């Protein structure tokens, strides 16, 4: 998760939403990615989708059965579905969808216009044929800090 947080900081530094993702296979990092929906002006450039896509290319397989996705934010419905289709072994996320919604409600402005479909990742995963295991709230407090505009010292 520490690597995903580093990637989230990179996304923020690039002017995007502070979300990062990492895919690990057998304890080895396969890919590290930063969210780029804003910088690429493409709503499909979520960190989780980029990680799945890049890992599939690197591993030459659309099925990532021995891989675990680490992401700083609970996957949206699109990303949760992609994780199921990729047959990921597991997903670990930090901040909850509610954390982002709370932050947006308290601090919403033209810079933070986060939109989401109010459907939990777990709901998507439970409906899939191949269900990855899930660990949620992992390093949640650290991941929640990624929503803020303040400078955070990166001593990971």
């Amino acid at each position: 998760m520490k690597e995903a947080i580093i990637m989230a900081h990179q996304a923020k530094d690039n002017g995007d939403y502070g979300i990062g993702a990492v895919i690990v296979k057998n304890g080895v990092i396969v890919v590290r990615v930063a969210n780029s929906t804003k910088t690429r002006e493409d709503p499909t450039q979520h960190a989780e989708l980029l990680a799945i896509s890049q890992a599939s290319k690197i591993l030459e397989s659309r099925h990532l059965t021995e891989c675990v996705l680490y992401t700083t934010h609970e996957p949206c419905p699109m990303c949760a579905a992609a994780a199921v289709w990729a047959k990921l072994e597991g997903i670990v996320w930090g901040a909850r969808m509610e954390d982002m919604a709370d932050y947006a409600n308290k601090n919403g402005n033209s810079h933070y216009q986060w939109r989401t479909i109010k459907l939990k990742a777990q709901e998507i995963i439970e409906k899939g044929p191949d269900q990855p295991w899930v660990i949620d709230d992992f390093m949640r407090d650290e991941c929640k800090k990624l929503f803020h505009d303040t400078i955070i010292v990166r001593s990971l």
Side-chain angles (χ1 to χ4, degrees):
M1 185 61 81
K2 288 181 179 182
E3 291 294 322
I5 291 171
I6 289 169
M7 298 310 297
H9 281 291
Q10 181 178 318
K12 283 182 72 167
D13 291 347
N14 291 338
D16 221 298
Y17 297 114
I19 301 172
V22 172
I23 290 187
V24 174
K25 180 177 182 180
N26 300 322
V28 177
I29 294 175
V30 177
V31 295
R32 297 171 180 85
V33 296
N35 198 70
S36 61
T37 57
K38 289 173 65 177
T39 55
R40 292 187 184 178
E41 294 293 341
D42 183 342
T44 67
Q45 298 299 293
H46 289 203
E48 300 90 342
L49 286 185
L50 292 169
I52 290 168
S53 178
Q54 290 178 25
S56 293
K57 287 178 185 167
I58 290 168
L59 299 173
E60 298 180 337
S61 177
R62 64 190 169 123
H63 297 143
L64 304 175
T65 54
E66 298 176 354
C67 296
V68 176
L69 169 67
Y70 291 82
T71 178
T72 58
H73 190 284
E74 178 179 351
C76 73
M78 174 176 64
C79 295
V84 171
W85 298 137
K87 298 186 177 191
L88 284 165
E89 179 180 329
I91 307 172
V92 179
W93 69 73
R96 298 177 186 175
M97 189 181 302
E98 295 93 341
D99 297 330
M100 181 274 301
D102 289 344
Y103 182 78
N105 287 335
K106 292 176 186 170
N107 304 286
N109 57 46
S110 61
H111 181 70
Y112 276 98
Q113 292 192 5
W114 294 38
R115 291 168 297 283
T116 188
I117 297 169
K118 293 181 182 178
L119 187 59
K120 303 283 292 165
Q122 193 63 45
E123 292 177 60
I124 302 287
I125 293 165
E126 288 172 357
K127 295 193 183 312
D130 298 295
Q131 299 177 8
W133 50 259
V134 170
I135 296 175
D136 57 1
D137 296 346
F138 188 77
M139 295 181 70
R140 181 177 175 205
D141 289 336
E142 292 88 338
C143 292
K144 284 172 59 173
K145 291 176 186 174
L146 297 166
F147 299 143
H148 300 278
D149 286 330
T150 56
I151 298 171
I152 299 170
V153 177
R154 294 178 213 153
S155 59
L156 301 175

